[in-house]
C-alpha cells in the first residue's frame, strides 16, 4: 500500500504518511490508483482508494469485500504480479525537456499498457482440478497501474508498474488463481512488445522526427544518448552518498533500523549533496530545473530546439522475412542456454517481435501482426520439434530447439564416439614419487589426485577429471606433466580463456594458451552471419586467411602427435562449437583429450554440455572429492553439499547450516543489498584483504563499482583529476581496480584479467596486475575506451578461477553463481538474501542452490520437454463436463490422470539416470540403493502397462475418451530409448515426489 500511494519508485518506503508524495511524483488523482478491468479484450477503468486497494490485493471484491474464490493463506502465495513498462533513459530525458514529446511518450505508454493487458488476458490461464491439472482460459483480469516519473536517486526515469491481480475470472465464471509460472514465461514476449512499441509506433516516431530526433541502433534517442551515461554516473554518486549517510546514521543509532522518515531525509541529503543551491525539500519545479541545469552542463546544446528531421522507415513489403526468421531463431536460441537449447513458442514469438522491432519498419501494431506471424512460421522451419508426437501443447512449454543446435549436439557426440579408445593408466606409485620431487614439502596428493594424474599420463584417448572448487586440479596436473615428459609425450594445456590459461600455466609450470589459439592455429575461424548466428569454418592449407591477409599453410605453433595429451583446464566453460572443433583436431592428429574442470561452476557463454558429452564416452573418469582451499575443514565439507543438492530438502539443510554459521546476510531490498556489498569492500580492504563481490547482472556490478569508486574519491583514496574514459563511457581513475575485456597480443593483456591503474599518461594507461606489483602492462587510450571497465564487483564469469580472502554474493544469482561465489574466499564467504524473515532467506538460498538436470543429448532434451509438459495444466477435454475434484471423476479418469503423472515420473527418473550417468561413468559399482532404484523403475513400468490395458474397459463404461493407446506407445518408447538401467542415481527423489 505504501509503495502504491507514495508514488515514488522507492521499494524501501514502507510507512504510509499521506498522499502528498503521489501528487509530486506521479500524475492523476492523488487519492486513488487506476484499476483496469479486461474482459474478452475490452478494457474498462475505474479508481481505488487505499482501503479498496488493500481489499483488492487481498483477493477480495474491493467495494463489497466479498471473497473471490478460495482465500490465499500461505505466506508464500503470490498476491500480485508486477510488470514494469520501461523505456530507454533518453526517452525520459526527452519528455523532461520537450512538452510535445512528454505528451506523446505518455500516449505511447498508454497504448503499450493496453497491449500488455489484453495479451495477459488472452494468453494466460487459471488452473483447475486436483493439483491444478486443468488449464482454464480467462474471461477477466484486473490490473492496477502505478506511474512514476523518476528513480529513487531522483533521476528522470518515467515508467509504470502494472500490478496483475492473481485472482482471475475463468471462462467458466469461477474465480481462481492465475498460473504464475506461465505469466513469468510470457514476460519475454511482454518485454519484446515494449521494444516493438518504442521503435515502430508511427505516432511516436513522427513526434521524434518533427522535433529533430531519431532512434539509434541501440534503441536510445541518438541526439540525447550522450547524456545518459553522465546522468547515470550522477545517480551512482547519489547511491554512494546515501550509503555513507546511512552508515553514519547506523553508527550513531546502534541496533536500530531507520524508519521511512529517516530514509526519506537521507535520500534528499544524498541527492542534494554537491549541488549548488541545495534545496531543503525537493519540489517538482526545483527538481526539473536542476536536471535541466545538469543536462546543460553535459551538453550546452542539448536543450535547444531542433529543426524537424525526416524519417525513412522501411516498407513492410521490402523486408527480407527469411532473414528476420533467422534472427528470431538466433534470439530464441541465445536465451535457451540454461535449458539445454530448448525454447518455447513464446520465446520464438518474442524473437520474431524483436527482429521486426529492429527492422526499421514503422506501422500500427495491428498491421504488424501478420508480419510477425509469418516470421514465426518461417522460423519454425529452422527448428526441431522435441514434442512432435505429443500434439498441441501450451505455448510456454520449451519444446523446440534450433536445428543448428540439435545438429551440433549430434555431431559432437559422434566425434567423441569415434575418439573413444581404452588405454592404461600410468603407475600410481610413480606419480607419488614425482609429486614428492616437484611439489612443495607441505603439499601432498590425495588418492583422487593420484588417480587423476595417472589417467591423464596414461593412454586412454578420452579422460575426464571433475571436481569441486578448491580440489587441487592444477596441483595434480604438475605431477601429470612430469609423467608425460618421462614418456617423451607432449603436454599441451589450454583453457577457454587466455586468462584461465595463464593461471593454469603458472601453476602447472608450462606454457598454456587459450583453446581458441590452438584451434586458430589448426585453421578454425569463427564469426557471426547476417542474422547474428555463430558460424565456424575450417581453412585448408593454401587458402587465403582473410584475418591476416596471407595464405594459410597449416599449424605453425602446435605440432600435435598421436601420443600427445591436450589438457583442457576449466573445461566446464567449453561450449559445443569449441569442443566440436577440438574433437576434429584430435581425430586428425591422434592426440588424446583430457577435460579437467567442474560443470557445476560457471557455464560457457554459448551452449553447455561439452564436458558432460565427453564424460559419457570417456574410458577414464575421475571425480575429485577432497577440498583443499578453505581454512575451515567443516566449511570445505559444506561446499561439497552445496555443489549439487539432491533435493529441495537437502538444499534447505545447506541453507540452514549457512545461516547458523552467519553466512547468510538478510536485507530488506536491493538498495540495502548493494550497500552491504559496498561496505564489505571497504571492511576487507581496510585490513589489506582481497574480497570478491559477485553479482547477478553486469548492470548491478556497474552500479556497485561506481558507488565504490565514488566513496573512494570522497575518502581521498582516488583523485578525480587523473582519469581515462573506459568502456561505456565509464570514468576510470588512477588507483581503480579494472578488468580488461579483450585479448591484446601487443599489450599482452587478457580478457577478464584484473588490474590496478597505476598511472594515466597522455597516450596510454599503465596497469599493474592485481596481486603482483611487478607485472606491469600498458594499454592505449583507445583500448581503455573500448575494452576496459571497473571491476570491484563482477558477475560469476568475471570471478571464475579467482581465489580471494573473502567473498560476498549478491541476490538473484543462479546455482552456479552462488556456488562459485561461495567458494572464492579462503577465510570468509557470505550470501545476501532479500527477505523479511530468516526462514524466507533460507528458502531463497535453497531455491538458488537447486539445479536442473543436464541436457547433454537430444534424448535428454526430449525427456526434459516431456517432463515440463507433464507438469503443465492440460486443456479440458470436455468443456461441458469439467474435470476437477469437485466433479467426482470416474475411475477411468482417475486412472488416466495417474497414468499421466506416472509417465512424467518415469521421464523425470530417466533424465536423472542419464544425468548421473554423465557424471558417474567409470565409477566403482553402486551400492544397494542403486539396485532398489532399478527395481522401483521396473515396477513402475509394469504398473503403467497394467493400467494402460485396464483403462480401456473402464473408459468404455464411463464414456470418457482416454489416451491409453498413446501411453502404451510411450512405455515402449522408454524401453527402447533407455533400455535396462545399468547405472543408478544418487537419489530417487524425483520418482518419490511424483
Amino acid at each position: 500500500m505504501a509503495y502504491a500511494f507514495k508514488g515514488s519508485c522507492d521499494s524501501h518506503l514502507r510507512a504510509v504518511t499521506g498522499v502528498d508524495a503521489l501528487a509530486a511524483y506521479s500524475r492523476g488523482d492523488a487519492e486513488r490508483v487506476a484499476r483496469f478491468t479486461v474482459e474478452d479484450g475490452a478494457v474498462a477503468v475505474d479508481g481505488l482508494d487505499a482501503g479498496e486497494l488493500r481489499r483488492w490485493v487481498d483477493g477480495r471484491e474491493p467495494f463489497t469485500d466479498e471473497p473471490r474464490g478460495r482465500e490465499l493463506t500461505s505466506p508464500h502465495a503470490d498476491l500480485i504480479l508486477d510488470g514494469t513498462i520501461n523505456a530507454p533513459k533518453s526517452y525520459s530525458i526527452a519528455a523532461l525537456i520537450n512538452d510535445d514529446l512528454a505528451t506523446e511518450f505518455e500516449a505511447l505508454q498508454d497504448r503499450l499498457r493496453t497491449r500488455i493487458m489484453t495479451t495477459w488476458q488472452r494468453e494466460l490461464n487459471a488452473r483447475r482440478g486436483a493439483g491444478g491439472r486443468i488449464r482454464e482460459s480467462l474471461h477477466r483480469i484486473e490490473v492496477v497501474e502505478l506511474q512514476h516519473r523518476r528513480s529513487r536517486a531522483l533521476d528522470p526515469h518515467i515508467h509504470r508498474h502494472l500490478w496483475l491481480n492473481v485472482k482471475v475470472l475463468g471462462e467458466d465464471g469461477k474465480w481462481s488463481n492465475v498460473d504464475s509460472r506461465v505469466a513469468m514465461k510470457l514476460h519475454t514476449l511482454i518485454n519484446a512488445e515494449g521494444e516493438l512499441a518504442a521503435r515502430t509506433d508511427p505516432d511516436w516516431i513522427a513526434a521524434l522526427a518533427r522535433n529533430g530526433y531519431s532512434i539509434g541502433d541501440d534503441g536510445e534517442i541518438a541526439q540525447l544518448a550522450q547524456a545518459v551515461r553522465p546522468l547515470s554516473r550522477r545517480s551512482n554518486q547519489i547511491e554512494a552518498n546515501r550509503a555513507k549517510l546511512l552508515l553514519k546514521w547506523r553508527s550513531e543509532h546502534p541496533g536500530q533500523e531507520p524508519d521511512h522518515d529517516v530514509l526519506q531525509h537521507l535520500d534528499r541529503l544524498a541527492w542534494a549533496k554537491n549541488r549548488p543551491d541545495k534545496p531543503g525539500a525537493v519540489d517538482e519545479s526545483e527538481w526539473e530545473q536542476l536536471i535541466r541545469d545538469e543536462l546543460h552542463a553535459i551538453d550546452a546544446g542539448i536543450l535547444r530546439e531542433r529543426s524537424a528531421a525526416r524519417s525513412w522507415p522501411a516498407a513492410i513489403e521490402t523486408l527480407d522475412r527469411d532473414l528476420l526468421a533467422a534472427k528470431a531463431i538466433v534470439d530464441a536460441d541465445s536465451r535457451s542456454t540454461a535449458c539445454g537449447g530448448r525454447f518455447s513458442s513464446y520465446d520464438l514469438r518474442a524473437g520474431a517481435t524483436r527482429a521486426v522491432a529492429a527492422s526499421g519498419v514503422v506501422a500500427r501494431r495491428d498491421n504488424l501482426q501478420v508480419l510477425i506471424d509469418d516470421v514465426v512460421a518461417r522460423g519454425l522451419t529452422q527448428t526441431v520439434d522435441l514434442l512432435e508426437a505429443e500434439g498441441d501443447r501450451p505455448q510456454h512449454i520449451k519444446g523446440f530447439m534450433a536445428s543448428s543446435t540439435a545438429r551440433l549436439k549430434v555431431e559432437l557426440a559422434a566425434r567423441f564416439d569415434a575418439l573413444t579408445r581404452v588405454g592404461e593408466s600410468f603407475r600410481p606409485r610413480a606419480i607419488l614419487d614425482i609429486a614428492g620431487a616437484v611439489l612443495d614439502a607441505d603439499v601432498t596428493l590425495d588418492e583422487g589426485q593420484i588417480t587423476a594424474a595417472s589417467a591423464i599420463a596414461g593412454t586412454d584417448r578420452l579422460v575426464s577429471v571433475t571436481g569441486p572448487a578448491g580440489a587441487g586440479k592444477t596441483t595434480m596436473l604438475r605431477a601429470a606433466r612430469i609423467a608425460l615428459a618421462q614418456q617423451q609425450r607432449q603436454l599441451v594445456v589450454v583453457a577457454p580463456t587466455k586468462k584461465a590459461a595463464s593461471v593454469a600455466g603458472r601453476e602447472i609450470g608450462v606454457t598454456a594458451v587459450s583453446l581458441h589459439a590452438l584451434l586458430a592455429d589448426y585453421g578454425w575461424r569463427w564469426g557471426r552471419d547476417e542474422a547474428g548466428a555463430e558460424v565456424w569454418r575450417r581453412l585448408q592449407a593454401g587458402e587465403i586467411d582473410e584475418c591476416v591477409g596471407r595464405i594459410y599453410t597449416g599449424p605453425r605453433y602446435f605440432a600435435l602427435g598421436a601420443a600427445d595429451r591436450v589438457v583442457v583446464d576449466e573445461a566446464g566453460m567449453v561450449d559445443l562449437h569449441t569442443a566440436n572443433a577440438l574433437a576434429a583436431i584430435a581425430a586428425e592428429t591422434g592426440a588424446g583429450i583430457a577435460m579437467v574442470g567442474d560443470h557445476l561452476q560457471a557455464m560457457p557463454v554459448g551452449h553447455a554440455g561439452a564436458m558432460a558429452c565427453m564424460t559419457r564416452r570417456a574410458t577414464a573418469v575421475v571425480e575429485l572429492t577432497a577440498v583443499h582451499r578453505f581454512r575451515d575443514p567443516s566449511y570445505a565439507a559444506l561446499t561439497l553439499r552445496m555443489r549439487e543438492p539432491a533435493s529441495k530438502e537437502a538444499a534447505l539443510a545447506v541453507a540452514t547450516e549457512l545461516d547458523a554459521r552467519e553466512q547468510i546476510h538478510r536485507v530488506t531490498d536491493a538498495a540495502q543489498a548493494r550497500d552491504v556489498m559496498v561496505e564489505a569492500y571497504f571492511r576487507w580492504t581496510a585490513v589489506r584483504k582481497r574480497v570478491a563481490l559477485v553479482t547477478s547482472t553486469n548492470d548491478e556490478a556497474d552500479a556497485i563499482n561506481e558507488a565504490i569508486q565514488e566513496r573512494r574519491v570522497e575518502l581521498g583514496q582516488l583523485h578525480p583529476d587523473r582519469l581515462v574514459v573506459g568502456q561505456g563511457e565509464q570514468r576510470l581513475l588512477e588507483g581503480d581496480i579494472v578488468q580488461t575485456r579483450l585479448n591484446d597480443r601487443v599489450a599482452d593483456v587478457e580478457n577478464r584479467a584484473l588490474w590496478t591503474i597505476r598511472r594515466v599518461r597522455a597516450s596510454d594507461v599503465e596497469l599493474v596486475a592485481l596481486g603482483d606489483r611487478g607485472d606491469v602492462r600498458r594499454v592505449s587510450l583507445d583500448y581503455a575506451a573500448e575494452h576496459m571497465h571497473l571491476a570491484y564487483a563482477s558477475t560469476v564469469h568475471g570471478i571464475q578461477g579467482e581465489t580471494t580472502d573473502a567473498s560476498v554474493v549478491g541476490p538473484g544469482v543462479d546455482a552456479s553463481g552462488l556456488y562459485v561465489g561461495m567458494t572464492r574466499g579462503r577465510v570468509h564467504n557470505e550470501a545476501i538474501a532479500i527477505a523479511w524473515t530468516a526462514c524466507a532467506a533460507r528458502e531463497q538460498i535453497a531455491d538458488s542452490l537447486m539445479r536442473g538436470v543436464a541436457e547433454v543429448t537430444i534424448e535428454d532434451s526430449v525427456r526434459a520437454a516431456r517432463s515440463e509438459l507433464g507438469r503443465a495444466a492440460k486443456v479440458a477435454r470436455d468443456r461441458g463436463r469439467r474435470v476437477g475434484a469437485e466433479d467426482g471423476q470416474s475411475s477411468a479418469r482417475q486412472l488416466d490422470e495417474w497414468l499421466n503423472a506416472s509417465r512424467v515420473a518415469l521421464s523425470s527418473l530417466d533424465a536423472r539416470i542419464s544425468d548421473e550417468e554423465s557424471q558417474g561413468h567409470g565409477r566403482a559399482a553402486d551400492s544397494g540403493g542403486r539396485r532398489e532404484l532399478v527395481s522401483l523403475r521396473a515396477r513402475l513400468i509394469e504398473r503403467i502397462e497394467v493400467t494402460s490395458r485396464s483403462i480401456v474397459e473402464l473408459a468404455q463404461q464411463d464414456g470418457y475418451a482416454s489416451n491409453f493407446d498413446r501411453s502404451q506407445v510411450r512405455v515402449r518408447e522408454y524401453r527402447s530409448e533407455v533400455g535396462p538401467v545399468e547405472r543408478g542415481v544418487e537419489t530417487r527423489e524425483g520418482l518419490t515426489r511424483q
Side-chain angles (χ1 to χ4, degrees):
M1 300 306 104
Y3 187 83
F5 282 94
K6 292 308 299 181
S8 61
C9 192
D10 292 0
S11 59
H12 66 282
L13 302 184
R14 295 183 294 277
V16 178
T17 58
V19 296
D20 294 339
L22 186 62
Y25 286 88
S26 64
R27 300 182 177 183
D29 183 359
E31 297 181 355
R32 304 181 74 79
V33 295
R35 176 183 65 160
F36 295 86
T37 301
V38 187
E39 293 187 349
D40 291 334
V43 181
V45 60
D46 59 6
L48 302 178
D49 63 22
E52 292 160 350
L53 179 63
R54 183 181 298 278
R55 290 190 288 272
W56 182 84
V57 170
D58 280 341
R60 309 178 76 84
E61 217 293 323
F63 303 124
T64 66
D65 201 27
E66 293 180 5
R68 290 176 165 176
R70 188 168 53 188
E71 184 179 4
L72 298 174
T73 57
S74 168
H76 303 293
D78 296 323
L79 298 178
I80 58 171
L81 303 178
D82 184 346
T84 306
I85 299 179
N86 255 325
K89 194 166 187 176
S90 57
Y91 289 34
S92 296
I93 297 173
L96 179 72
I97 65 178
N98 186 298
D99 291 339
D100 182 29
L101 291 179
T103 300
E104 291 294 343
F105 187 35
E106 291 296 330
L108 174 69
Q109 289 188 306
D110 287 345
R111 291 189 290 274
L112 181 55
R113 174 194 62 210
T114 299
R115 180 74 190 181
I116 291 172
M117 294 190 304
T118 54
T119 300
W120 278 342
Q121 187 263 317
R122 183 179 63 252
E123 300 283 353
L124 297 181
N125 63 278
R127 301 190 71 150
R128 293 279 194 274
R133 294 191 185 99
I134 304 305
R135 180 185 180 91
E136 178 64 41
S137 298
L138 303 184
H139 170 70
R140 173 179 173 179
I141 66 169
E142 294 184 2
V143 177
V144 158
E145 180 187 58
L146 311 178
Q147 298 188 18
H148 296 147
R149 295 197 63 203
R150 49 195 180 225
S151 67
R152 198 201 68 207
L154 301 182
D155 280 342
H157 183 205
I158 298 174
H159 62 285
R160 303 184 184 189
H161 295 267
L162 301 182
W163 283 1
L164 171 65
N165 199 305
V166 298
K167 290 295 183 182
V168 291
L169 189 66
E171 288 186 347
D172 61 353
K174 298 178 181 178
W175 287 98
S176 61
N177 301 336
V178 73
D179 191 336
S180 58
R181 287 180 293 183
V182 176
M184 297 302 292
K185 293 177 180 179
L186 179 66
H187 208 63
T188 183
L189 183 58
I190 298 298
N191 286 337
E193 287 287 350
E195 287 187 43
L196 188 71
R199 303 183 72 165
T200 67
D201 185 273
D203 292 340
W204 173 242
I205 299 300
L208 289 172
R210 68 174 172 261
N211 288 282
Y213 296 106
S214 60
I215 297 176
D217 292 338
D218 59 355
E220 296 280 5
I221 298 175
Q223 294 76 13
L224 300 175
Q226 74 274 18
V228 171
R229 187 65 190 177
L231 277 183
S232 298
R233 187 177 299 127
R234 174 60 178 161
S235 175
N236 288 323
Q237 182 185 44
I238 293 168
E239 292 289 351
N241 293 342
R242 180 182 180 274
K244 186 176 181 181
L245 291 167
L246 191 58
L247 179 65
K248 180 181 178 182
W249 187 93
R250 285 190 170 122
S251 66
E252 294 172 351
H253 303 81
Q256 299 183 41
E257 282 298 315
D259 61 15
H260 156 66
D261 291 332
V262 170
L263 288 171
Q264 190 174 56
H265 177 64
L266 294 181
D267 285 347
R268 296 292 185 267
L269 290 177
W271 181 78
K273 188 174 182 180
N274 299 329
R275 277 188 166 94
D277 303 321
K278 300 179 198 175
V282 180
D283 67 19
E284 195 69 13
S285 60
E286 288 175 329
W287 175 77
E288 289 190 0
Q289 187 56 51
L290 282 168
I291 296 298
R292 287 172 179 270
D293 292 343
E294 291 186 354
L295 289 171
H296 184 270
I298 293 168
D299 182 349
I302 205 168
L303 301 178
R304 67 175 175 83
E305 290 188 13
R306 296 176 176 272
S307 301
R310 293 195 64 180
S311 60
W312 302 94
I316 292 179
E317 59 271 14
T318 65
L319 297 177
D320 185 341
R321 300 189 177 201
D322 288 331
L323 177 59
L324 293 179
K327 290 182 176 181
I329 290 295
V330 169
D331 184 279
D333 183 62
S334 68
R335 298 168 189 270
S336 72
T337 54
C339 299
R342 292 182 296 114
F343 53 82
S344 68
S345 294
Y346 285 159
D347 298 321
L348 181 54
R349 286 168 57 189
T353 303
R354 276 186 278 264
V356 171
S359 69
V361 71
V362 175
R364 299 289 176 192
R365 178 61 184 84
D366 291 342
N367 296 337
L368 292 175
Q369 192 58 51
V370 173
L371 172 62
I372 292 173
D373 290 343
D374 186 35
V375 172
V376 170
R378 292 168 187 254
L380 284 172
T381 65
Q382 303 176 39
T383 68
V384 173
D385 188 350
L386 303 172
L387 296 173
E388 186 175 12
E390 304 292 341
D392 293 336
R393 83 294 300 264
Q395 292 199 46
H396 70 279
I397 300 298
K398 295 183 182 297
F400 296 100
M401 181 179 291
S403 300
S404 57
T405 300
R407 185 166 53 249
L408 193 58
K409 287 191 174 190
V410 172
E411 185 177 355
L412 180 61
R415 288 191 186 278
F416 280 142
D417 280 332
L419 287 174
T420 301
R421 187 187 68 203
V422 178
E424 295 182 355
S425 295
F426 193 74
R427 301 182 308 279
R429 182 67 234 179
I431 293 292
L432 269 176
D433 294 339
I434 291 171
V438 302
L439 299 182
D440 296 337
D442 58 341
V443 177
T444 58
L445 297 183
D446 61 38
E447 183 178 349
Q449 290 172 302
I450 294 171
T451 304
S454 298
I456 292 172
T459 56
D460 287 273
R461 189 77 176 276
L462 299 180
V463 177
S464 174
V465 179
T466 63
K473 293 184 283 291
T474 50
T475 302
M476 167 273 298
L477 287 172
R478 293 173 63 186
R481 175 180 67 85
I482 302 299
L484 285 165
Q486 290 178 356
Q487 304 171 68
Q488 306 298 308
R489 297 167 62 193
Q490 180 184 194
L491 171 67
V492 177
V493 178
V494 296
T497 65
K498 192 169 186 295
K499 172 192 172 184
S502 296
V503 172
R506 285 196 302 269
E507 295 184 2
I508 299 170
V510 297
T511 299
V513 297
S514 72
L515 176 52
H516 286 78
L518 172 66
L519 301 181
D521 192 43
Y522 274 84
W524 285 98
R525 300 295 183 267
W526 50 91
R528 299 279 175 179
D529 64 14
E530 190 178 4
E534 189 171 2
V535 178
W536 285 61
R537 64 185 181 88
R538 183 82 180 273
L539 289 175
Q540 301 300 318
E543 284 188 56
I544 295 178
D545 186 354
E546 297 178 357
C547 296
V548 295
R550 62 170 178 259
I551 295 176
Y552 174 70
T553 59
R556 303 171 60 190
Y557 304 106
F558 305 98
L560 294 175
D564 295 337
R565 175 73 72 191
V566 177
V567 170
V568 185
D569 196 27
E570 300 285 0
M573 296 179 68
V574 175
D575 64 89
L576 298 182
H577 275 293
T578 309
N580 197 42
L582 176 63
I585 293 173
E588 293 174 7
T589 62
I593 299 174
M595 285 196 171
V596 180
D598 186 0
H599 67 291
L600 298 178
Q601 294 190 47
M603 297 290 103
V605 175
H607 287 290
M611 185 176 184
C613 181
M614 197 203 77
T615 301
R616 290 190 180 186
R617 292 155 177 83
T619 53
V621 177
V622 182
E623 183 171 2
L624 305 177
T625 57
V627 179
H628 306 281
R629 172 174 295 168
F630 309 105
R631 294 184 180 178
D632 182 354
S634 64
Y635 184 68
L638 181 59
T639 62
L640 292 176
R641 294 164 50 203
M642 185 191 308
R643 184 167 175 255
E644 191 175 19
S647 64
K648 177 62 182 293
E649 291 72 21
L652 193 57
V654 171
T656 300
E657 189 165 340
L658 286 172
D659 194 23
R661 297 170 59 94
E662 298 184 347
Q663 289 179 266
I664 296 179
H665 194 127
R666 181 163 52 89
V667 298
T668 56
D669 55 40
Q672 189 179 353
R674 187 180 299 173
D675 293 344
V676 168
M677 298 185 80
V678 171
E679 293 304 323
Y681 171 82
F682 288 98
R683 183 173 69 254
W684 285 97
T685 55
V687 293
R688 300 185 180 277
K689 300 293 184 181
R690 186 178 165 206
V691 59
L693 305 178
V694 185
T695 66
S696 58
T697 66
N698 286 319
D699 287 344
E700 186 63 19
D702 285 343
I704 293 172
N705 285 330
E706 294 182 14
I708 291 174
Q709 182 194 65
E710 193 63 38
R711 179 91 68 85
R712 293 191 69 193
V713 170
E714 291 184 356
L715 295 174
Q717 298 177 4
L718 303 174
H719 300 286
D721 54 336
R722 300 289 295 173
L723 64 88
V724 63
V725 176
Q727 189 176 17
E729 298 185 18
Q730 205 172 49
R731 178 183 64 169
L732 308 179
L733 309 177
E734 287 185 353
D736 268 329
I737 295 175
V738 296
Q739 186 177 82
T740 46
R741 291 307 310 274
L742 182 72
N743 294 331
D744 188 305
R745 191 171 297 177
V746 175
D748 195 21
V749 296
E750 303 151 353
N751 180 32
R752 297 196 183 278
L754 297 174
W755 313 85
T756 300
I757 297 179
R758 173 184 282 180
R759 187 171 294 109
V760 175
R761 301 173 182 270
S763 59
D764 59 23
V765 182
E766 186 177 285
L767 306 174
V768 179
L770 201 63
D772 185 358
R773 301 194 65 81
D775 189 1
V776 180
R777 301 285 191 276
R778 287 185 176 88
V779 298
S780 68
L781 299 181
D782 288 341
Y783 179 94
E786 295 293 329
H787 310 296
M788 199 161 74
H789 61 71
L790 292 174
Y792 297 101
S794 68
T795 61
V796 60
H797 284 93
I799 203 65
Q800 170 83 8
E802 297 285 338
T803 301
T804 60
D805 298 292
S807 178
V808 181
V809 185
V813 296
D814 60 11
S816 61
L818 184 59
Y819 174 67
V820 170
M822 293 293 284
T823 54
R824 297 306 96 190
R826 288 183 292 258
V827 178
H828 179 76
N829 299 274
E830 68 180 75
I832 299 175
I834 300 176
W836 288 102
T837 65
C839 179
R842 292 191 294 269
E843 284 276 354
Q844 186 181 125
I845 296 299
D847 287 340
S848 296
L849 287 171
M850 295 301 295
R851 300 175 184 267
V853 176
E855 299 175 29
V856 180
T857 66
I858 303 297
E859 290 75 17
D860 294 338
S861 296
V862 170
R863 294 188 189 100
R866 285 175 177 167
S867 179
E868 185 181 354
L869 179 62
R871 293 192 299 270
K874 308 297 189 298
V875 176
R877 287 176 283 258
D878 183 359
R879 300 197 62 82
R881 185 178 180 192
R882 296 275 168 187
V883 180
E886 67 274 16
D887 296 327
Q889 295 180 6
S890 66
S891 299
R893 282 196 296 272
Q894 291 173 348
L895 286 174
D896 206 6
E897 293 295 344
W898 179 88
L899 196 65
N900 289 333
S902 298
R903 177 169 53 83
V904 173
L906 187 60
S907 178
S908 176
L909 179 59
D910 288 342
R912 286 177 175 270
I913 291 173
S914 297
D915 183 52
E916 178 66 15
E917 184 176 353
S918 71
Q919 307 307 322
H921 184 67
R923 295 179 189 168
D926 204 347
S927 63
R930 167 188 171 282
R931 291 189 295 273
E932 180 186 358
L933 181 62
V934 173
S935 176
L936 283 170
R937 179 182 183 277
R939 292 201 301 271
L940 179 59
I941 290 179
E942 182 179 358
R943 189 176 173 190
I944 288 174
E945 292 174 333
V946 172
T947 303
S948 298
R949 291 191 296 269
S950 63
I951 212 170
V952 179
E953 181 181 352
L954 289 171
Q956 292 173 346
Q957 296 173 2
D958 201 40
Y960 177 63
S962 171
N963 61 354
F964 71 94
D965 52 335
R966 293 179 64 190
S967 299
Q968 289 176 323
V969 171
R970 291 188 190 107
V971 172
R972 290 194 292 272
E973 287 174 354
Y974 288 134
R975 287 191 180 280
S976 62
E977 288 175 2
V978 181
V981 179
E982 296 300 328
R983 299 180 182 90
V985 295
E986 294 177 355
T987 174
R988 50 197 169 113
E989 173 64 19
L991 177 62
T992 305
R993 218 174 28 230
Q994 293 291 350

